[in-house]
Amino acid sequence: MAIILRLDRVMADRKMSLNELSERVGVSNVNLSKLKTGKVSAIRFSTLEAICSVLNCQPGDILEYVPENIPPQ
Amino acid sequence: MAIILRLDRVMADRKMSLNELSERVGVSNVNLSKLKTGKVSAIRFSTLEAICSVLNCQPGDILEYVPENIPPQ
DNA sequence: TAATTATTTATCGTTTAACGATAAATAATT
DNA sequence: AATTATTTATCGTTAAACGATAAATAATTA
């Protein structure tokens, strides 16, 4: 799980609640909550696009790749 | 279609062919070609993660949001 | 601290579409 | 011309988003 979701960060930055984002994006608050808490393993571009549009941000603000650290032997 | 894929750009930058990327990422060259040419409408994080790992890049290097321009009336 | 609101979790069902496999077509290279 | 690389096309399988609903938890406010 090296792709992590940073939706919470952008939402906090924009001071936007989950319910408001849900209404404006057109995705249920349940599913947005899953996105927000990293409980999804894929994303449709239609959803990503709507989120970026409403939050005025880029995919890179929401999706982050964190390399698995190689544990020292 | 405001989310556009920039995999081709990163691959060119890294001078990596589709077949090599396919082998190293573990996704068929057919499906990687679809990704590369923007013929998919979603992506699994497992795939995105593998691509970012092999190409040593971030999701933001591959996914870009381009706002639909509001045509002047 | 009770009431209200917001967020998260849990099921279930539907539907979308990634992804693999294969074959074939096209493009690029040698 | 031959080889290699990439793209396109079908088909089938499977993963999982997403909706709907209900319930649980968390946070806020009166």
Side-chain angles (χ1 to χ4, degrees), chain B residues 1-72:
Chain B
M1 195 193 286
I3 295 288
I4 58 176
L5 284 147
R6 291 299 194 191
L7 183 57
D8 54 349
R9 193 169 55 184
V10 183
M11 285 172 65
D13 197 56
R14 308 292 195 270
K15 294 178 176 36
M16 187 170 293
S17 74
L18 191 81
N19 283 331
E20 183 181 354
L21 186 63
S22 167
E23 282 178 26
R24 297 185 57 183
V25 164
V27 171
S28 72
N29 57 354
V30 170
N31 275 318
L32 268 188
S33 174
K34 286 180 186 174
L35 265 172
K36 185 167 167 284
T37 55
K39 301 204 169 52
V40 298
S41 50
I43 191 167
R44 293 185 187 166
F45 295 157
S46 57
T47 300
L48 183 58
E49 175 187 335
I51 291 173
C52 287
S53 171
V54 170
L55 292 180
N56 191 32
C57 67
Q58 284 292 319
D61 299 323
I62 292 173
L63 298 170
E64 192 174 333
Y65 167 64
V66 180
E68 308 279 346
N69 55 351
I70 297 92

Side-chain angles (χ1 to χ4, degrees), chain A residues 23-53:
Chain A
E23 282 177 26
R24 296 185 58 182
V25 163
V27 171
S28 71
N29 57 353
V30 170
N31 275 318
L32 268 188
S33 174
K34 287 180 185 171
L35 266 171
K36 185 168 168 284
T37 55
K39 300 206 170 49
V40 297
S41 51
I43 191 168
R44 292 186 188 164
F45 294 158
S46 57
T47 300
L48 184 58
E49 175 188 335
I51 291 173
C52 287
S53 171

